Amino acid sequence: MSERTRGYALFGAVALLLLVVAPLALPAFRLDELAKYLCFAIAALGIGLAWGQGGMLTLGQGVFFGLGGYAMGMYLKLHDAGGDLPDFMVWSGVEHLPALWGPFRNPVVAIAAVVVVPVAVAVLLGVLVFRQRVRGAYFALLTQALAAAFVILLVGQQGLTGGTNGLTNFYDVFGRDPEAESTQRTMYFVTAGVLGVLYLLARQLVKSRFGRLLVAVRDGEDRVRFLGYNPATVKTITFAVSAGMAGLAGALFVPVVGIISPSLLGVVPSLELVVAVAVGGRYALAGAILGAVAMNYAKTSLSEQWADGWLYLQGALFILVMTLAPKGAIGLYHQLRDAVARRRGPSVQVTVKEEVPA
Amino acid sequence: MEGLLNQLPIGLSIAAVLLLIALGLTFTFGQMGVINMAHGEFIMAGAYTAYMLQDWAGAQATAVALPVAFALAGGMGWVLERTAIRHFYGRPLDTLLLTWGVSLVLQQAARDIFGAPNVQVVAPSWLNGRIEVGGTVLPYNRLFILALAIVCVVGIWAYMNRSAQGRRMRAVMQNRELAACSGVATARVDQLTFFIGSGLAGVAGVALTLIGPVGPSLGTYYIVDAFLVVVAGGLGQLRGAVIAAVALGMLNSFAEFWTNASLAKVIVFGAIIAFLQVRPQGMFVLRSRALT
C-alpha cells in the first residue's frame, strides 16, 4: 500500500470509529465528553498548523477560542432573553444593551463573527508583528501576554462579559433544548464533522505549494526571503487560519459544554493545548488531534480520581516528552517504523529539522 | 493630582520587582536562549522562604530571608540548569515548554506543602511608616523595594563590568563559540549565570511579601509581565531591562489610575506592540552578523 492510500485508509478508519462506533458504544454522557475533546482537537489542529508546520509557537490560542466562544455565547444569551437584556446584565445593574452586543441578535452575524473576529485579530497582530520580523521566542511571549491581557479584560468588564462566571445558562440552542440527549448527539456529529473537514483542508494546505513555503519559512526564514517571497505574508495567513480554527472550536464548545468563561482561555489553558500538541506530535497534523483528545481524556479521568496528582503527572509528562521525544507520539511511531525498516533493509530517511533559534 | 502622584511609589516599586525578575530572565535568555517559565516559581520559593523564617526570626524575617532566598532560589535554578536545561541549548521554544512542566510540578508541590490558601508575611515594624514629600505619600515598604532593586542592579552592573567572571559572561553572551575558543569555560559561566539570575528571582519574591499575600500561583502573576520587559528591553541588556521595567511599571500603574486594572493590561500590551514597530528587537540590541 502506498503512503497515500494508507493515509486515506487510516482517515476512513478513524472517521468510522468517531461517526459510527463511538455514538453506538458510548453512553450519552461520555459522548458529550468526547464532543468536548473534539472541540479542543479543532483548536489543537490550528496550533499544529501554526507551530508544527510554520514554526510559530502560539501561546495565546485561548484568545481566539474565546472570541469564537463569546460570539456564539452572546447570540445564545440574547436569543434566550428575546433580544432583551441577558440575565447577568440585569444582575450587574446594566440598563441598556451595550452597543457591542447589538449585532449579535442576528444569528448570521453571530456565526460569521465566530470566524471573522478571531481571524481579524490574528491578521492585525500578524501584520504588526511578522512584518517587523518579530519571531521565535519573542512571538511566543507576545501571544502569551495577549492571552493574559485578554482574560484580565474579560474578568474586568463584568457587565459586558459576565466577568469570572462568563456566559452560561443557555436554554435554547437554535430551537432545541441543550440538555436533551438528541441535541447533544447532534452537536457531537456536527463537531466531529467540522473536525474532519478542517483536518482535510489543513492537510491540503500543507501539501500545497503554500504549505511547502510555510515549512521553508519555519526552517529558514531568511533563505525564503532571499528567494523573493515575503515570509510575513505566509506567516500571517497561516496564523489567521489557525486563529479561525480556534474560533470555530470555541463556538462549538459553547453549546457542547454549556459555558464559556475566562478560566478556559488564559495562559494556562492555552499552554495546555500546546502541550497536548507537543505530546501528540507537533510535526504531524494528526498528532495535534491525537494529543488533544488523549490529553483531555487523561485529564478528565485522572482528575476524577486524583485531582492533585494531575498537575504532577502533566508536568512530569511534559518534561519527559520534551526531553525524550520532542517529536511526540507520532514522532516516536515514525522512529519505531524507521528502525524496523532499517533492520529489513536500507531506505531513504527523511528528518525534520529543529526550528531555528530566535 | 494627589492620587496621581501617589501612583508614583506604587509604579516604581512594581517596576523594581519586575526588574529583579527580568534581570535573571534576560541574562539566561540572552546568553543561552533559555525561556525559563519556572522562574516564576523561584519567586514563589523566595516568598515562602520569608514565610518560613517568620517562626524563627519573627518580624525581621524579611531581612533575614533576603540572603537565604537568594541562595535557595539560585540553588534551585542551578539544579534545573544542570539536570534539564543544559540538554536544550539552541531550542528556545522547547525550553519554554520544558520549564513550564517544571513550574507545574513546583506549584503543585507548594500547594501540597504550604496549602492552597494565601499566607501572610508580617513586615518588620521599621517598614510600616511613611513619609510625605510635597504631598506625595511614600510608604517605607515601597521605598525599601526600590532601594533593594537599585542595590541589586548596581551589584550586577559591577559584576558584569568590573569582574573577570562578568567579562566572561558578557563574552559568552556576545559570541559563545569565540568565547569557548578563547578558553572561557562556557558551561561554568552558564551555571553561574543561572544561579545569579534565579537568586534574583528569590530576592524579588521576598520583596513581594511586603506588598501582598504569598500563594502558590504568586509567580505566574509576574512572569508574563517580566517577559514583556525582556522583550521590550532587548536580550541580555542591563540598561534595556532597567528602562523597560521602569517604563512598564509606571505605564501600568498610571493606566490603572486613569482607567482600570483590566484596561491597563491592554494598554500596556498595545504599547509594547507599538514599540516593537519602531524597535523590533527591543530597546538595545547586541549587534550580530549572524543570520537567524
Side-chain angles (χ1 to χ4, degrees), chain A residues 137 141 144, chain B residues 21 24-30 32-43 73-74 76-78 80-81 84-85 92-103 106 193-195 197-199 201 219 223-224 226-227 230:
Chain A
L141 296 171
Q144 187 176 51
Chain B
I21 302 167
L25 292 173
T26 186
F27 289 139
T28 50
F29 193 15
M32 306 178 235
V34 169
I35 304 173
N36 184 14
M37 295 300 284
H39 204 74
E41 277 55 52
F42 299 157
I43 305 171
M76 285 169 74
W78 182 81
L80 181 66
E81 198 273 345
I85 287 177
L93 298 182
D94 286 1
T95 61
L96 192 161
L97 299 176
L98 170 87
T99 51
W100 192 62
V102 175
S103 114
L106 289 177
T193 310
F194 230 93
F195 178 81
S198 308
I223 191 90
V224 176
F227 269 120
V230 174

Side-chain angles (χ1 to χ4, degrees), chain A residues 128 131 135 222 311-312, chain B residues 37 94 100 108 112 277 292:
Chain A
L128 288 176
R131 204 178 37 125
R135 56 191 164 194
D222 288 309
L311 276 175
Y312 282 125
Chain B
M37 295 300 284
D94 286 1
W100 192 62
Q108 187 56 38
D112 284 348
Q277 297 302 303
T292 48

Side-chain angles (χ1 to χ4, degrees), chain B residues 213-255:
Chain B
V214 181
S217 50
L218 178 74
T220 39
Y221 286 118
Y222 289 91
I223 191 90
V224 176
D225 283 356
F227 269 120
L228 283 184
V229 168
V230 174
V231 168
L235 293 185
Q237 295 291 321
L238 188 60
R239 46 190 179 149
V242 173
I243 297 173
V246 172
L248 236 72
M250 298 307 285
L251 180 65
N252 200 23
S253 73
F254 282 119

Side-chain angles (χ1 to χ4, degrees), chain B residues 84-258:
Chain B
I85 287 177
R86 70 191 172 107
H87 303 296
F88 280 80
Y89 290 151
R91 290 156 61 191
L93 298 182
D94 286 1
T95 61
L96 192 161
L97 299 176
L98 170 87
T99 51
W100 192 62
V102 175
S103 114
L104 279 183
V105 172
L106 289 177
Q107 264 184 49
Q108 187 56 38
R111 232 169 258 136
D112 284 348
I113 299 171
F114 302 102
N118 287 342
V119 296
Q120 202 78 42
V121 176
V122 184
S125 51
W126 43 272
L127 282 180
N128 281 335
R130 56 186 56 205
I131 45 167
E132 271 193 56
V133 181
T136 315
V137 181
L138 300 173
Y140 283 155
N141 58 354
R142 304 267 174 188
L143 289 178
F144 177 74
I145 294 173
L146 194 60
L148 189 65
I150 292 172
V151 169
C152 288
V153 169
V154 170
I156 290 288
W157 180 87
Y159 172 77
M160 285 185 72
N161 293 287
R162 292 285 178 268
S163 79
Q165 257 314 319
R167 265 199 296 280
R168 285 183 204 121
M169 181 177 151
R170 281 189 298 148
V172 173
M173 234 187 277
Q174 271 189 11
N175 191 330
R176 175 173 290 268
E177 284 77 25
L178 196 56
C181 291
S182 316
V184 176
T186 56
R188 285 214 39 203
V189 174
D190 288 343
Q191 288 166 40
L192 201 61
T193 310
F194 230 93
F195 178 81
I196 295 173
S198 308
L200 287 174
V203 173
V206 177
L208 278 175
T209 62
L210 294 175
I211 51 179
V214 181
S217 50
L218 178 74
T220 39
Y221 286 118
Y222 289 91
I223 191 90
V224 176
D225 283 356
F227 269 120
L228 283 184
V229 168
V230 174
V231 168
L235 293 185
Q237 295 291 321
L238 188 60
R239 46 190 179 149
V242 173
I243 297 173
V246 172
L248 236 72
M250 298 307 285
L251 180 65
N252 200 23
S253 73
F254 282 119
E256 255 178 50
F257 180 75
W258 280 315

Side-chain angles (χ1 to χ4, degrees), chain A residues 151-177:
Chain A
V151 163
I152 292 171
L153 190 64
L154 283 178
V155 172
Q157 307 296 314
Q158 173 83 28
L160 195 62
T161 62
T164 331
N165 298 327
L167 303 179
T168 184
N169 298 330
F170 309 107
Y171 300 110
D172 183 342
V173 176
F174 297 98
R176 309 177 67 157
D177 172 16

Side-chain angles (χ1 to χ4, degrees), chain A residues 26-49:
Chain A
L26 292 176
F29 165 68
R30 289 290 168 198
L31 195 68
D32 205 35
E33 290 269 285
L34 185 57
K36 184 171 96 178
Y37 307 154
L38 294 184
C39 290
F40 287 128
I42 294 174
L45 181 66
I47 296 179
L49 195 65

